[in-house]
Amino acid sequence: MQSFGEKIAVIAAGPLSPRALDALALRFDVTHLAKGDATLVTSDLAAKVRGVAVMGGCTDAFISALPKLEIIASFGVGYDAVDVTQAVRQGVIVTHTPDVLNDEVADTAVGLLIATLRDLPRADAFLRQGRWAAGERFPLTCGTLSGRKVGIFGLGRIGRAIALRLQTFNVEISYHNRRQIVDVPWTWHPTLLDLARSVDTLICVAPGGRETTHATNAEVLAALGRDGVLINIGRGSTVDEAALVQALRIGTIMAAGLDVYEHEPKVPPDLLALPNTVLLPHVGSASIPTRNLMSDLMVKNLTSWFDEGRAITPVPEVQKHALQPLNGIDH
Ligand code: NAP
Ligand code: 8YV
């Protein structure tokens, strides 16, 4: 039983920033765990923890090991690593950090697209190696953004921000979502394969999870054609990495720019060895200002839940439960 003035016990799991940990410590009795892993939950934690702040995953076993748990505040907008099914079963709210990172991730996506088309990392390396100064010329690139047909897989918050940026370039834009959006000027395609057949550049910014696993497969890649470029800024699981390696190796598509991978932080050696890839270490949102906004929103979800009885940014699956029951009566 919690006595007056006693801090609520929460677990901070994963590599959360000092800013997040300090903010949590002001308000809560915090135990920092390396990750959301059931084997790290002691009986003392099981008996008292009511909230979790997490960067990374929360397994079914971890959630089940915390019978008093009310809320999981996840750092990041994508929450495919949190077992929401178990959370819902246990009546636990899950929150994430949407919107505050849209601009950063969209900027990174456009930067990655141009870097991939124009071979910018290799041009930088060429200069640093002294080859320009020594009289060599960096080869002209096959790729150019101008005149491309860009398809966006996942025209949500971030996808729209990418499309709005790309509107100012000389490109055609279309997209695939499960549902057509009525208030956008871009062409909708009912399947990802239809989209891929009508474009030469595919930007994946769809969430991970069962429904999108390996959605970008060999057939989709082949449909992009020999000038095809794949950019993945969503989740690594949405692309069949083995099929991508093969498509890049034999010239089925021209190039790929990736920020996310199937088994992070592992990147297949085959992908590393290919010259027609630009590979980033999952840095889509990774600026200090944006990570601070994400961190603050994660913490606010916890404080709002315990102070005011409402979560600020619950994930869609739990939205109807995102208010605390009043006097035992559910809303
Ligand atoms: P969002 O607003 O929920 O947008 C996701 C879009 O994907 C929606 O338009 C949705 O439309 C579509 N979608 C979902 N499931 C689909 C399916 N099975 N088939 C086709 N379309 C589908 O999410 P967001 O805030 O833009 O974030 C998108 C994702 O980006 C996150 O989930 C995360 O994985 C990733 N992300 C990566 C980074 C990074 O650092 N690289 C940073 C932030 C986010 P419908 O519901 O109509 O299908
Ligand atoms: C974060 C992300 O890097 O928000 C997301 O879905 O992928 C990134 O912004 C990630 O959540 C940190 O774990």
Side-chain angles (χ1 to χ4, degrees):
M1 178 126 170
Q2 191 190 339
S3 59
F4 182 72
E6 201 175 311
K7 284 179 169 177
I8 291 169
V10 304
I11 287 174
L16 290 164
S17 65
R19 180 188 181 95
L21 295 172
D22 289 349
L24 290 168
L26 278 179
R27 178 71 176 71
F28 301 106
D29 162 19
V30 183
T31 303
H32 192 188
L33 301 183
K35 55 183 178 168
D37 182 338
T39 62
L40 303 175
V41 177
T42 60
S43 52
D44 175 50
L45 287 173
K48 67 178 183 183
V49 166
R50 294 171 60 194
V52 165
V54 64
M55 180 170 180
C58 270
T59 60
D60 164 354
F62 178 71
I63 300 169
S64 312
L66 297 168
K68 299 239 163 84
L69 190 61
E70 296 173 35
I71 178 168
I72 298 169
S74 182
F75 178 89
V77 66
Y79 53 94
D80 46 306
V82 175
D83 193 325
V84 176
T85 308
Q86 177 57 28
V88 167
R89 202 179 290 136
Q90 223 171 289
V92 172
I93 298 297
V94 179
T95 67
H96 62 153
T97 60
D99 290 319
V100 294
L101 43 47
N102 293 351
D103 287 341
E104 201 69 73
V105 182
D107 292 347
T108 311
V110 174
L112 180 57
L113 172 61
I114 297 173
T116 305
L117 285 163
R118 300 298 328 288
D119 229 355
L120 299 184
R122 266 160 289 273
D124 176 277
F126 175 90
L127 180 151
R128 288 170 197 274
Q129 288 156 6
R131 294 171 63 183
W132 190 33
E136 269 191 77
R137 284 176 183 240
F138 189 70
L140 305 183
T141 62
C142 304
T144 176
L145 179 56
S146 202
R148 281 199 163 254
K149 295 179 176 172
V150 180
I152 298 181
F153 172 31
L155 194 80
R157 290 169 291 243
I158 298 169
R160 277 186 194 226
I162 294 171
L164 286 171
R165 280 156 176 72
L166 289 178
Q167 265 189 331
T168 62
F169 294 86
N170 176 25
V171 297
E172 264 176 42
I173 300 169
S174 51
Y175 71 98
H176 164 64
N177 278 359
R178 287 166 299 188
R179 287 169 288 270
Q180 184 170 10
I181 301 171
V182 288
D183 66 343
V184 298
W186 309 302
T187 309
W188 175 68
H189 292 274
T191 70
L192 180 57
L193 189 56
D194 283 342
L195 176 69
R197 284 185 178 132
S198 72
V199 300
D200 52 29
T201 308
L202 182 64
I203 302 182
C204 296
V205 63
R210 203 168 36 83
E211 272 195 57
T212 55
T213 298
H214 286 193
T216 300
N217 56 21
E219 197 181 8
V220 167
L221 292 168
L224 293 175
R226 298 185 72 79
D227 283 335
V229 169
L230 173 76
I231 301 298
N232 191 5
I233 193 94
R235 278 292 178 266
S237 59
T238 67
V239 174
D240 179 341
E241 235 163 44
L244 175 62
V245 166
Q246 179 67 355
L248 288 164
R249 190 182 280 147
I250 64 174
T252 306
I253 65 168
M254 187 173 81
L258 308 175
D259 186 45
V260 288
Y261 307 87
E262 272 195 79
H263 306 290
E264 293 177 12
K266 288 188 188 136
V267 178
D270 285 347
L271 212 45
L272 294 171
L274 286 164
N276 46 349
T277 55
V278 175
L279 306 173
L280 304 181
H282 200 148
V283 292
S285 67
S287 73
I288 292 169
T290 297
R291 287 292 175 87
N292 284 350
L293 292 172
M294 293 162 66
S295 193
D296 293 352
L297 180 53
M298 177 193 70
V299 174
K300 271 187 209 150
N301 268 296
L302 283 171
T303 52
S304 171
W305 177 256
F306 290 113
D307 291 347
E308 294 159 37
R310 64 176 62 238
I312 299 170
T313 46
V315 303
E317 292 88 333
V318 305
Q319 259 162 25
K320 70 178 170 142
H321 305 295
L323 295 174
Q324 278 183 353
L326 297 170
N327 304 322
I329 303 162
D330 218 340
H331 306 274

